[in-house]
Structures are given as C-alpha cells and as structure tokens.
Amino acid sequence: MVTNITSFGRSGLSDWLMQRVSAVILAIYTVFIVAFLLFNPDLDYYAWSGLFNQTWMRIFSLLAFVALAAHAWIGLWTVTTDYLKSTRLRVGVQAVIILGIFVYLVWGIQILWGA
Amino acid sequence: MSNLQVSVYRYNPETDSAPYMQEFQVDTKGRDVMVLDVLHMMKEQDSGLAFRRSCREGVCGSDGMNMNGKNGLACITPLSDVVKNNKLVLRPLPGLPVIRDMVVDMGLFYKQYERIQPYLQNDTPPPAIERLQSPEERDKLDGLYECILCACCSTSCPSFWWNPEKFVGPAGLLQSYRFLADSRDTATSERLSNLEDPFSVFRCRGIMNCVAVCPKGLNPTRAIGKIREMLLADAT
Amino acid sequence: MSNLRSLTFDAIIIGGGGAGLRAALELAKSGKKTAVLSKVFPTRSHTVSAQGGITCAIASDDPNDDWRWHMYDTVKGGDYIADQDAAEYMCSEGPKAVFELEHMGLPFSRLDNGRIYQRPFGGQSKNFGEGGQAARTCAAADRTGHALLHTLYQNNLKNDTVFLNEWYAVDLVKNASGDVVGCIAMCIETGEVVHVKSKATVLATGGAGRIYASTTNALINTGDGIGMALRAGFPMQDMEMWQFHPTGIYGAGTLVTEGCRGEGGYLINKDGERFMERYAPNAKDLAGRDVVARSMVMEILEGRGCGEKGDHVFLKLDHLGEEVLGKRLPGIVELSKTFAHVDPAKDPIPVVPTCHYMMGGIPTNIHGQAITMDESGNDHIVNGLFACGEAACVSVHGANRLGGNSLLDLVVFGRAAGMFIEGALNAGIEYLDASESDIESAMKRITRWNESEGGESIPELKAELQDIMQTSFGVFREEKNMLEGVDKLALLRERIANAHLPDKSNAFNTARVEALELDNLMEVAEATAIAALERKESRGAHSRYDYPDRDDVNWLKHSLFFPATKELKKRDVNFKPKTVDTFEPKVRTY
C-alpha cells in the first residue's frame, strides 16, 4: 500500500468516489443553470438575483461550489503527482492550488450571502 | 524486390555515450515473416544486436518491444501487421531503463507484480484431494490467468510511465484481480486493503492502451474496474 | 583465477523451468540457502509452452482410475526400457504432486462436480490395456504448462527463493576427488563471471531440441546441462531417443497439442482418409506418439501427403465446433491462425512430425542423484550432482514418452530431488574445496571464446549442425546416412573449436551466450548421433530401416554414452518395481 498524506481523503477509494459524486453534482447544477437560461430568454438582473435570493438556490449553489473545489483539488493533485517529480516544487504548487481554491470558495460564499 | 528498411534502437553502455537509431536493410525474400525473424536476420549482419527471445510462439513473453510505435510481441507480429511504406522502426519497451539495445531492465515491472502477492492464499488446511471449484467459478479466471508478463501493457500506460514505483500497472492489477476472483483464495480483504491508496489502483485513468496492445487479447482495464467495484463494496 | 568472486549456497539449481522451480520450492520451504540460476526470467522457460496437460491417475474423470494402469501405459509407451521402479514412483506419487499444484493455485479446468478436468491423451488405457481409452490428463484448457510454470514461480516468490535471473551456467566445477562442488556462471546483464560454490548442484536445464532444424522447442533449448555434464566427463543415457511430435505446424514447427486429438480431432491424408485407422485400429489417432509420427511419415513417403509438395498431412478439428475449440483449445486456435493462417473451426491445420522431446539425458535414480557406471557395469552415484526434468533420464519415458508425462516428471522428480537434498544437507555434506586448477579447467571454455580472434561464424555453424541432425537422425534412420552424419559432426566439432566470437563486450552480450550454447548443442548432437548409430534395433522413437524390429535379446537395455572415449555401453533396465508385479515386455500394438 502506497501512503500519501497530501491526497484529499488519504484513500484512493474515497478520492475516486468524491471525484464521481462531485462530478454528478456539477453536472446537475450545470443542466439546471443552462435550462434556466433557456427558459428565460429575456433574462434581466431582477430575475437572476431573484433566483439567487432563494435559500434553496443558495444551498444548491454552495453545494456545487464545494463540489467544484473538491473536484478541482483531486484532479489537480493527481496532475501534480504525475508530472512534478521534485518534491519541493510539487508541494509548492499544491499549496498555491489549495490557496486558490480556498479563495474562490470564500469568494463564492460571499457572493451568495453577501448581497 | 526492394529490401525492408529497418531502423533499430541501439545502445551499448560500454561504448555508446548516447543511444542512436541504426539503419538495416533486410532481404525478407518477399515473405511475410515475423518481426522476430527480421531481428534474427539483422543479428546475422551484426552479432552485437541484443534482444530477448525464447519460445518464439507468443507464450513466454520475452520479446515485447515497440514496433512502429505500438507495443507487441515480435514473434507473433507478422510484417504485414506493422510495416508501413516498407519501413519498420524497432524500439525497446517505453518507460523502462535500457540495458542494451532492445533489452530493458524489467525490475520495476516485476516489483509491482510481486507487490500484489501473486500467489493463492488460503488459510484453511488443504484437503487430501484438490480443492473443489465449479466450472462457473473457474470461468471467472479466464481472461486473467493467461497473462505472460511481457510488459507490453504496463509500458504503454502513461500512468505507469509517470508513477512506476507507486502505480501497480495493468499487468500487476490483472494478476491481482486473478487472485481476488479465485473462489479458492481467502485473502480478499487483505488484498483489497493493500490497494485502496490513491496510487496502486486509482492511478488508472482508463486510457486503455493496455487493452489495445495486449498480445493475448486480455483486458486489464476491465479487471481494474472490477477491483474498484470490490473496493467500493468492501468499504461502504 | 583467484580474482573470481564466489557465491556460496547449500544448493544451486540451474534452470528455472518446472523441474527446477519445483525442486527450489521444496528447498526454499526447508530454509536451506538455495538459489535458482536461470538464463531467462523463470516464466520464459520452455515449460510455459506445454499445452495439453499433466497425466496423472487422480481418479477425477473415472473414479476407479488406478495409478498402476498409468504405470502400465508408461512402461508400454516407453517400449519397455523405462525403469519400472521409477515409473512406479512417478505414477504413485503423482496424485500427491498434482494436488499440491492445485493447492498452490494452479487454475485447472473443472468438471461439473468441481474436480479437475481430465482429457484423453495418446497411449492411455484402463485396466492394463484391456479397458479401452482412459482420460487421465489433467488440463488447464490448452495452457497447462503456462499455468503450471507461473504457479510454481508464484509459490517460489511466496517462499522467498533466491533467483539469479538471466545468469548463464558455463561449466561444472569438480574437486580433486571428482565430486561436483559448484559451477562457473556468468551474469548476462553485466558479463561478470563468478564461481558458484554449492554442496548440491541440480541440473534442471531442460531439453535440447534445437539440435534439429525443425523443432517445437524454444530457442533457449540448447541442452546446456547435458553439455556441462558431458564436458565434465559424465555419461548420458538413451540419447538416441528423441520424440518427434506428430503435430508440429507445417513450416513453423510450433506445437499443436495432442489434446486436439484427445478432444476428438484426427489426422487426414490428401484423400481425406483418416489413415490412423489403418496403422492403429484400436487407439487410432491416440496411439503412442512414435507410432503416429511414423505413420504420418509413411503416408507422406507413399505419396498421400497434402499440399503442393505432398510433404505434410492435415489435422482436422472443424467438426468439434467453435464452442469446444473456444473452451478447451483456445490457444491452439490462436497459434493456428498466427502460424498456419488457418482457422481450425473452418479448415484443417497442416502438420508434420517435429522434434519435440529428449527422452534421454543425465542418468539419475529416483532421488535425482546423477549416476555413472564403472568398468564392470556397476552404478555409482556422482557426489554433488543432481538432475531432474527433461535434462534427466530417470528413466520414466524409456524409448518414447507419453503425452502429459513430461509435466508429471517435472513436478514429481523436481520435488523428489528437493526432498532428498534437504535430507542430505541435514545429515551433513562435506566435499573437498575446488582448487585453483579445478576452477581454471571449468573456465577453459569461456576463456577460449573470449580470446578467439578469427574463424567461422556461430550462426552458420549452428545451422549446419541442425541440418546434419535433421538429415541423418530424423524419424527414420539407417546406417549409411548416420555414419555420414557422425563423420560430419566430427569435422564440425573441430570447426566449432576454432569458431569466432566477434563481440566481446560485457553488457547483455547475447552473442557470447549463443557461442556457449553452440558448444552444448555440439555435445548433445554427438551423443545422440553415436548412440543412434550403435543401437542396432528399432524401439520406440528410434526407428531404423536397416534394423526394423525390436531386439529384446540384445537391446532391452539403456544405452550409456561416455564422452571421454565416445563409447556406447549398455546399462540394465530396472524391472523390479517395489509394490506391483513386473510388466514383462510384450509386442507393442495400439
């Protein structure tokens, strides 16, 4: 068994499962948003912010953002472990990625509840 | 009849500072011989050309190599299958250190094979006769036990190229599933717990190069999928 | 040459095929310091090519099966020069050895009741030839050798056997008393030559089918152990006995298992006639291999061969149907498509008798101890030297081996040698150390090649040797032709002694390995030629136009070839099994 402390769930199985579950959430969210746009051809600011004023939509969006964060981290972690063979460089890049994901996540929450 | 143009990877660590491609002209007398026959003809021209071979019928797995860009066994690959425009380019299996010419160091490949404990484990005392197994249970081993360890699959797998120390690779995982699927093996949970980390199995990204090149027509990707299913069933 | 590095083991096993791995497994389990030295990674050994199965009376297909019936078939199949104590040991111990393999994980095909699948093979009978065809060959589809070899390798991994993979054994090292105390070996990857010291040296180097131009054998089957033993002065037994397998693919030489005929396939000539009905009215296509091979050659010689040149016959399988072919003979379907461009589900496979198996070899007892014979005809054990598998002549196969008995031979006598060596090591073995000059004489050959500066090329000499053997020592033999062959071989020996190794590099120098192999081919060819010339009768696989009959008065004997004098002597066959009555020689019909 290969151990690795930087992976998301410390287990290939949980990472793999998380990757798939988050993908399904993102897919549903995307379909919903696309459908919303299609059914509202004359979309204006009020309709859009009206949608996001509803609690269920905020929770749904937050779920999608968290899923995106997890999905991105697992995927990018994999890419870094494939291609970056220098430990120092890899950990550095991974730190930047984590920071980036964190910032986007906080920013997303701020947008959802900040208005 | 024009001669076949063969370009071969050459490297002798004692005399060459770097590998190079050497051109050979081989007269096959128009016959559709196997790539291994062509190698033998070249060795008659230059006895220093090194390559492995044994059974010459595709069961021992010695002569896996890269022929015009695709891994396969030289002894069962006829020229008509690989030669394009009368040219043949032969290289050692990709991703493993070269010892000399077409001979690669298979150490990492074998290490990954050994890591999956490739032997039957059964903690009950054996009966006086054989352990019984129904034909249906035995059928589950078909497509798994036939692996000849030629390394064509693992050395065509990008995931194995990037992480040969950590990713078991298609050949090892096929054998891992061969024992997981054997009704006589009782070490299933121990085997599974050795595989649940992020690399051993999960570095497989379903590229399926392994399936495309396996000279025995085996399907490591499917076996890897089955291992994932077993891991999931075991953990949830 | 005191600068040679030395490696020390309790036992060194040369050869990583079925016999070597089985012996190693026994010793590794016992905790002795053992190493397997193999010129290829073990699973590339020729055992991997065995197809049809391992014959053994495990009473699965027929609950009343009896190992004595198997023993009777084996002795009769060997045309009565198989040692009956050895055949008795193999057939009675066999079931234990096969069940062990199953417990180790060998994926045998199965019957509906969960037991091991057994198929009919040539020369098998029930009730001492009176009860009709038996089905006694335990099979893993048509990949039994592959399954067996991988299983043994896997279990050696489990038991932490030490492997010297891609090492080549050059010659045996003998001490001043003539005991074998190790060998000289070369690491192929680095070219380093070392002195391997060992209290027991096991030759499990397999066959030497590459002395013939057309053979089912792997390219590595060059008789290395036979060559080493002959150069060390030890005799070889029954070397004239070479099995020609009836069904090698025409042109390519690759094997098509006898299991094809076991599953119901049969041979036809150009008229579509099932000709074996004429030669062997009862067993038909499942007569002994020597009988079937000779019948095929007769058909060809009498103008009923197939193809443009009329030089082969056909093996018909299409009537078995795709399901049976896919389930029981999948490997054959593959091989036939690749090497004969024929789909056996639709068309018959062109086949021709092809050199397949060496019945002769290093004479041993049932413990694998090598034997030599003194002036007055008494057997003596060679201290320190053991042999098992195809390299050995125990002899269980006599003048003709039955299909499926080779794999049984490997595991039974590999295991027996391992158990015996373990016991001997426990009891304590002390031999004189090899002196500098002992080591030097074992180094002579490799030094000769390394210092060669000109001369003929190795591949050409090898091709010539194979040609001589094919022409003069094939399925049918006769005096004049063989005399010519012997003379040509004598000349060839001189030429090989002066041949040239152009590439003297160290890293993975396959040319050097091929040079060393050529010497071994030469030794095997010469022993075969002289033994074949001297045995003036026809028996089993040894078939002469000038002596067409079996001669039990003069030749119910093993032949023993002595390399120093190039003489052939006779050695008694064992007719004293321990627990059953002797099988007296009878006329052999199928």
Side-chain angles (χ1 to χ4, degrees):
Chain A
M1 171 140 160
V2 179
T3 52
N4 199 295
I5 56 152
T6 58
S7 85
F8 182 83
R10 308 276 167 82
S11 136
L13 181 63
S14 73
D15 279 9
W16 177 77
L17 194 61
M18 186 58 69
Q19 192 81 321
R20 265 130 199 91
V21 171
S22 59
V24 170
I25 293 169
L26 289 171
I28 295 171
Y29 191 75
T30 307
V31 168
F32 173 79
I33 294 291
V34 169
F36 182 80
L37 293 174
L38 285 177
F39 284 109
N40 296 284
D42 310 318
L43 187 68
D44 57 13
Y45 173 79
Y46 296 103
W48 184 248
S49 68
L51 173 67
F52 281 89
N53 273 332
Q54 303 177 55
T55 308
W56 66 264
M57 184 57 197
R58 288 181 176 172
I59 292 170
F60 186 27
S61 299
L62 179 63
L63 182 67
F65 292 176
V66 170
L68 182 63
H71 198 86
W73 168 240
I74 294 167
L76 289 169
W77 176 80
T78 305
V79 172
T80 57
T81 51
D82 268 353
Y83 297 106
L84 302 179
K85 292 297 162 191
S86 147
T87 307
R88 211 176 267 189
L89 180 63
R90 188 174 61 249
V91 173
V93 171
Q94 287 173 350
V96 171
I97 292 169
I98 289 179
L99 193 66
I101 289 172
F102 178 74
V103 167
Y104 276 114
L105 195 57
V106 172
W107 192 10
I109 293 169
Q110 203 188 2
I111 290 168
L112 287 176
W113 273 277
Chain B
M1 188 72 217
S2 64
N3 288 340
L4 179 70
Q5 310 273 325
V6 190
S7 184
V8 187
Y9 181 98
R10 298 300 303 265
Y11 175 66
N12 180 343
E14 288 165 73
T15 53
D16 304 328
S17 55
Y20 61 98
M21 299 301 289
Q22 187 186 354
E23 304 299 320
F24 280 87
Q25 304 271 328
V26 180
D27 180 11
T28 58
K29 301 193 171 69
R31 289 170 305 154
D32 185 19
V33 295
M34 301 293 174
V35 172
L36 180 64
D37 298 319
V38 172
L39 278 159
H40 280 132
M41 291 174 203
M42 290 191 286
K43 197 170 172 65
E44 280 178 31
Q45 293 178 35
D46 178 352
S47 67
L49 177 63
F51 54 91
R52 292 188 176 103
R53 83 286 181 278
S54 173
C55 76
R56 60 85 177 89
E57 58 187 25
V59 292
C60 80
S62 297
D63 61 352
M65 58 183 69
N66 189 274
M67 300 168 285
N68 274 358
K70 190 175 173 190
N71 287 357
L73 297 178
C75 59
I76 54 169
T77 304
L79 292 180
S80 56
D81 272 12
V82 283
V83 170
K84 295 254 158 63
N85 301 322
N86 206 35
K87 274 221 65 142
L88 177 62
V89 181
L90 299 177
R91 291 173 180 276
L93 291 174
L96 291 176
V98 172
I99 296 173
R100 173 173 177 170
D101 300 342
M102 305 297 284
V103 178
V104 291
D105 181 351
M106 309 259 287
L108 271 174
F109 174 78
Y110 294 139
K111 203 183 100 193
Q112 292 298 355
Y113 172 66
E114 286 166 30
R115 221 184 86 201
I116 59 101
Q117 303 182 334
Y119 36 79
L120 192 84
Q121 297 178 61
N122 189 312
D123 50 18
T124 62
I129 59 165
E130 69 269 41
R131 289 197 160 91
L132 300 183
Q133 184 174 47
S134 72
E136 294 71 32
E137 287 167 332
R138 169 59 184 74
D139 282 348
K140 293 194 177 130
L141 308 184
D142 281 339
L144 305 171
Y145 81 96
E146 300 94 324
C147 171
I148 58 175
L149 301 177
C150 64
C152 284
C153 58
S154 293
T155 61
S156 67
C157 171
S159 296
F160 189 73
W161 295 340
W162 308 145
N163 287 292
E165 289 95 357
K166 294 177 180 172
F167 175 49
V168 172
L173 290 171
L174 188 78
Q175 286 320 292
S176 180
Y177 185 60
R178 176 248 173 278
F179 290 100
L180 286 167
D182 196 319
S183 61
R184 301 169 295 172
D185 193 279
T186 56
T188 305
S189 57
E190 194 204 338
R191 289 180 188 283
L192 288 176
S193 69
N194 283 333
L195 293 172
E196 67 182 13
D197 64 87
F199 282 96
S200 302
V201 176
F202 289 98
R203 202 36 73 105
C204 170
R205 314 235 72 88
I207 298 164
M208 295 179 80
N209 279 0
C210 52
V211 183
V213 298
C214 177
K216 306 308 282 181
L218 309 177
N219 191 331
T221 306
R222 186 164 56 209
I224 294 169
K226 300 263 191 192
I227 295 177
R228 279 203 199 106
E229 280 172 26
M230 288 180 84
L231 280 165
L232 193 60
D234 198 48
T236 52
Chain C
M1 297 295 243
S2 50
N3 54 354
L4 278 194
R5 185 162 70 100
S6 67
L7 299 170
T8 306
F9 299 100
D10 290 329
I12 179 84
I13 292 156
I14 303 173
L21 291 184
R22 188 61 190 83
L25 184 57
E26 207 61 39
L27 286 162
K29 279 193 214 159
S30 74
K32 301 293 174 209
K33 196 179 171 199
T34 318
V36 175
L37 187 151
S38 173
K39 66 177 174 178
V40 292
F41 182 76
T43 63
R44 326 283 185 217
S45 306
H46 189 52
T47 304
V48 82
S49 294
Q51 297 170 351
I54 176 166
T55 302
C56 187
I58 59 162
S60 159
D61 184 80
D62 171 7
N64 300 315
D65 200 8
D66 190 320
W67 66 263
R68 294 164 192 86
W69 301 348
H70 179 199
M71 178 186 164
Y72 167 81
D73 293 341
T74 301
V75 170
K76 176 188 171 190
D79 224 348
Y80 297 96
I81 60 163
D83 286 318
Q84 299 200 5
D85 61 337
E88 176 188 38
Y89 182 80
M90 180 177 81
C91 298
S92 60
E93 284 287 296
K96 222 183 286 174
V98 169
F99 293 141
E100 280 170 4
L101 286 173
E102 196 282 334
H103 299 153
M104 287 180 216
L106 200 157
F108 282 111
S109 301
R110 299 288 171 157
L111 296 170
D112 284 337
N113 64 8
R115 295 208 58 191
I116 293 172
Y117 170 72
Q118 292 185 295
R119 61 160 56 110
F121 247 51
Q124 291 178 356
S125 75
K126 298 181 181 181
N127 198 18
F128 309 107
E130 304 295 320
Q133 177 74 40
R136 194 173 289 132
T137 301
C138 312
D142 57 356
R143 303 188 179 95
T144 317
H146 169 280
L148 184 147
L149 187 65
H150 280 252
T151 301
L152 284 175
Y153 179 64
Q154 292 161 352
N155 278 270
N156 271 288
L157 288 178
K158 186 178 180 181
N159 286 282
D160 295 322
T161 305
V162 175
F163 283 99
L164 298 173
N165 290 335
E166 295 185 327
W167 280 62
Y168 187 79
V170 179
D171 264 312
L172 295 173
V173 174
K174 289 199 294 183
N175 66 13
S177 340
D179 311 322
V180 174
V181 291
C183 66
I184 297 294
M186 177 180 78
C187 171
I188 299 175
E189 184 179 333
T190 62
E192 188 196 9
V193 176
V194 302
H195 172 207
V196 180
K197 293 182 189 174
S198 175
K199 291 173 183 147
T201 303
V202 184
L203 294 175
T205 52
R210 284 285 151 182
I211 63 168
Y212 287 93
S214 167
T215 175
T216 64
N217 281 195
L219 293 155
I220 58 169
N221 286 22
T222 51
D224 297 327
I226 308 292
M228 287 163 72
L230 281 168
R231 273 190 302 276
F234 301 119
M236 284 303 131
Q237 182 168 278
D238 295 338
M239 287 301 288
E240 65 278 26
M241 299 303 178
W242 281 88
Q243 178 165 83
F244 287 79
H245 195 289
T247 53
I249 292 181
Y250 173 70
T254 38
L255 174 70
V256 172
T257 175
E258 186 168 303
C260 290
R261 285 169 283 140
E263 298 288 346
Y266 55 85
L267 296 162
I268 52 175
N269 60 20
K270 74 168 181 187
D271 306 320
E273 181 205 5
R274 184 176 184 181
F275 58 86
M276 280 313 297
E277 288 176 336
R278 270 188 281 121
Y279 296 92
N282 298 313
K284 299 187 182 102
D285 294 81
L286 289 177
R289 283 180 180 172
D290 55 334
V291 176
V292 179
R294 267 195 298 279
S295 308
M296 291 166 71
V297 175
M298 298 292 284
E299 286 299 295
I300 291 168
L301 291 176
E302 286 170 13
R304 290 188 293 275
C306 308
E308 269 175 42
K309 296 182 189 158
D311 57 354
H312 57 272
V313 300
F314 280 130
L315 174 64
K316 185 174 147 53
L317 296 176
D318 56 317
H319 57 285
L320 300 180
E322 290 206 26
E323 203 191 318
V324 171
L325 289 173
K327 187 98 195 142
R328 300 292 182 210
L329 303 165
I332 294 308
V333 175
E334 251 176 67
L335 278 175
S336 163
K337 285 179 181 167
T338 308
F339 288 101
H341 308 293
V342 161
D343 178 358
K346 297 193 182 91
D347 298 300
I349 310 172
V351 290
V352 71
T354 307
C355 169
H356 181 58
Y357 187 85
M358 175 176 79
M359 269 76 73
I362 299 158
T364 70
N365 61 19
I366 58 167
H367 308 300
Q369 293 177 285
I371 290 169
T372 185
M373 196 175 75
D374 66 16
E375 290 297 320
S376 24
N378 299 313
D379 283 355
H380 291 279
I381 302 290
V382 179
N383 285 331
L385 185 63
F386 297 80
C388 52
E390 191 171 343
C393 181
V394 187
S395 148
V396 282
H397 308 306
N400 171 63
R401 174 173 71 76
L402 290 189
N405 267 357
S406 57
L407 291 184
L408 188 64
D409 173 4
L410 303 186
V411 292
V412 167
F413 291 107
R415 175 175 174 270
M419 293 191 300
F420 181 85
I421 294 168
E422 182 191 346
L425 287 169
N426 286 339
I429 302 178
E430 283 309 324
Y431 299 129
L432 277 178
D433 271 348
S435 68
E436 287 294 303
S437 72
D438 295 331
I439 295 170
E440 240 165 79
S441 67
M443 283 288 295
K444 226 183 267 171
R445 189 164 76 97
I446 191 165
T447 310
R448 206 293 286 166
W449 280 111
N450 286 341
E451 290 171 358
S452 70
E453 280 181 349
E456 292 183 83
S457 95
I458 294 157
E460 280 167 32
L461 290 166
K462 179 156 78 182
E464 255 185 76
L465 181 143
Q466 292 168 334
D467 216 43
I468 296 170
M469 296 309 290
Q470 193 78 27
T471 314
S472 302
F473 304 94
V475 175
F476 284 106
R477 300 161 173 183
E478 50 132 1
E479 181 105 2
K480 187 171 153 283
N481 208 345
M482 283 196 285
L483 272 172
E484 259 173 45
V486 169
D487 287 346
K488 282 187 192 161
L489 284 175
L491 287 175
L492 196 67
R493 178 181 274 281
E494 290 300 310
R495 291 163 61 196
I496 290 175
N498 293 304
H500 181 215
L501 172 65
D503 180 5
K504 309 237 175 16
S505 60
N506 289 316
F508 222 99
N509 184 341
T510 49
R512 182 181 286 123
V513 173
E514 286 179 25
L516 295 164
E517 288 174 341
L518 178 62
D519 287 329
N520 295 326
L521 289 170
M522 182 65 230
E523 299 293 346
V524 178
E526 184 183 63
T528 298
I530 291 174
L533 180 66
E534 295 293 324
R535 185 184 278 273
K536 295 188 166 51
E537 65 156 351
S538 289
R539 180 186 299 274
H542 179 62
S543 203
R544 294 182 60 146
Y545 285 126
D546 42 359
Y547 298 94
D549 299 319
R550 193 170 86 187
D551 176 1
D552 283 348
V553 178
N554 296 302
W555 281 106
L556 194 59
K557 298 277 182 189
H558 294 300
S559 73
L560 216 55
F561 170 79
F562 286 82
T565 55
K566 303 200 193 298
E567 266 182 302
L568 197 77
K569 294 185 181 171
K570 293 176 185 177
R571 179 171 171 250
D572 287 339
V573 174
N574 180 295
F575 285 99
K576 292 198 180 88
K578 294 187 180 69
T579 62
V580 291
D581 292 337
T582 302
F583 295 119
E584 298 296 342
K586 288 191 291 191
V587 178
R588 184 165 160 257
T589 53
Y590 284 102

